Amino acid sequence: MPELPEVESVRRGLDSHLVGRTFGEVTVLHPRASRDTPNLAERLAGRRIEGTGRRGKFLWLVLDDAEALVIHLRMSGQVRITETTVPISPHTRIVAQLDGTVAQFVDQRTFGSWSLSDIDEQGIPVSLSHIAPDLLDAGLDHRGVAKRLKMRRGELKPALLDQGLVSGIGNIYADEMLWRACLHPRQQPRRVSIARLTELLHRGEEVMREALAQGGTSFDSLYVHVNGESGYFDRSLHAYGQGGGEPCDRCGELMVKTKVGGRGTTFCPRCQRRY
């Protein structure tokens, strides 16, 4: 599933290709793609794109009249910029013409969607008001988030995946930030100091920025940029996907793969001790 760096890479691509353009004909090829806005095609026609935004794993196009087109990629959604209205994939769900270019929404699993939402006074779509700021938010209070994290019951990794605490973290980057901070994914947050939890969040921001610089992480064709190219941060991963007997890049101990909170999880049993 695309996480913060991947979604931000898509947002930047849409920003460079679509801002200033006006929607022409929009064709919805699968009703699930516009399930929250059934009359999406009619409501988009003639609307100008004024900008783009993102929070966590959600991105949006800022439209005229203080409204946003919210795009949720979910498991397999892609927005591809093309020169043709002919669907580029059997999984193309929406085709939108915009002043000489075309945006196609491709979604193999049909979990993603396009929907319209009003924008609040902070510039965030109202439909995303429940989503917390993310690790790349300039105003994020890392220590404040760490204090709330410390109050969580249960295990550390599932808490990091809660989009109401801090958004944009998924399975890949949770494993990476825990590895960098030398914290066990099953550790109880209440037993970790606020200083270490703050450091964990900073390590998360660090890995997100590094991934973004490399276009995100692509393990298969389900995540690509708007031009169809893949990100290559998978070459720099130290934890996620390394549970097949690979040694830890820091200490040489064999990495362990298990499940935490129902999610596949890889960690180093020596560097990331549970206490």
Side-chain angles (χ1 to χ4, degrees):
M1 179 176 183
E3 301 179 29
L4 189 157
E6 292 76 46
V7 177
E8 174 62 12
S9 295
V10 173
R11 186 204 65 78
R12 292 182 179 186
L14 296 180
D15 194 85
S16 65
H17 285 89
L18 299 185
V19 171
R21 296 182 185 272
T22 299
F23 280 99
E25 183 177 354
V26 177
T27 305
V28 177
L29 300 173
H30 195 295
R32 281 183 57 84
S34 63
R35 56 189 175 273
D36 296 321
T37 309
N39 57 344
L40 180 72
E42 293 81 4
R43 292 179 62 183
L44 281 180
R47 305 292 296 277
R48 177 182 167 87
I49 299 173
E50 305 287 353
T52 61
R54 181 198 52 76
R55 172 164 281 190
K57 303 175 186 179
F58 291 86
L59 63 92
W60 62 88
L61 304 179
V62 180
L63 305 177
D64 47 21
D65 294 335
E67 200 168 31
L69 173 62
V70 178
I71 301 173
H72 197 180
L73 303 177
R74 291 195 181 271
M75 295 295 292
S76 60
Q78 304 172 11
V79 183
R80 299 284 299 278
I81 303 300
T82 73
E83 297 180 350
T84 177
T85 58
V86 177
I88 60 173
S89 164
H91 306 299
T92 296
R93 309 306 182 188
I94 298 175
V95 177
Q97 299 181 50
L98 302 104
D99 291 342
T101 195
V102 178
Q104 297 199 24
F105 183 55
V106 180
D107 187 11
Q108 179 175 327
R109 299 180 182 178
T110 67
F111 293 152
S113 64
W114 287 17
S115 62
L116 290 172
S117 172
D118 291 333
I119 297 177
D120 65 20
E121 56 273 13
Q122 282 78 44
I124 306 296
V126 173
S127 63
L128 303 182
S129 60
H130 63 291
I131 303 296
D134 59 59
L135 289 175
L136 297 186
D137 191 308
L140 184 69
D141 178 5
H142 292 74
R143 186 172 176 83
V145 175
K147 288 180 179 179
R148 294 195 295 276
L149 178 57
K150 187 173 176 64
M151 297 172 64
R152 292 298 178 97
R153 295 183 179 274
E155 298 170 326
L156 187 51
K157 180 177 178 179
L160 292 175
L161 300 179
D162 180 356
Q163 304 300 297
L165 178 68
V166 60
S167 64
I169 303 171
N171 211 34
I172 296 173
Y173 298 106
D175 278 5
E176 288 302 299
M177 61 193 287
L178 287 165
W179 182 87
R180 292 194 183 202
C182 296
L183 285 168
H184 196 288
R186 291 193 181 279
Q187 183 62 57
Q188 296 181 353
R190 63 183 179 84
R191 299 192 62 188
V192 184
S193 70
I194 291 175
R196 288 200 71 189
L197 292 174
T198 302
E199 177 68 13
L200 170 64
L201 296 171
H202 281 296
R203 296 289 74 78
E205 179 183 350
E206 176 184 86
V207 72
M208 295 279 189
R209 293 192 183 281
E210 291 178 13
L212 181 57
Q214 297 181 45
T217 302
S218 297
F219 283 108
D220 53 38
S221 60
L222 295 186
Y223 162 67
V224 293
H225 299 178
V226 297
N227 60 3
E229 294 181 355
S230 299
Y232 51 93
F233 190 67
D234 57 298
R235 305 172 191 172
S236 302
L237 294 173
H238 296 288
Y240 185 86
Q242 306 301 305
E246 293 87 346
C248 172
D249 290 337
R250 186 165 43 217
C251 74
E253 184 76 13
L254 293 184
M255 301 290 284
V256 171
K257 184 172 183 179
T258 185
K259 282 199 172 184
V260 177
R263 307 294 294 274
T265 300
T266 304
F267 68 98
C268 173
R270 179 184 295 172
C271 294
Q272 298 170 258
R273 294 182 184 276
R274 186 178 182 183
Y275 59 88

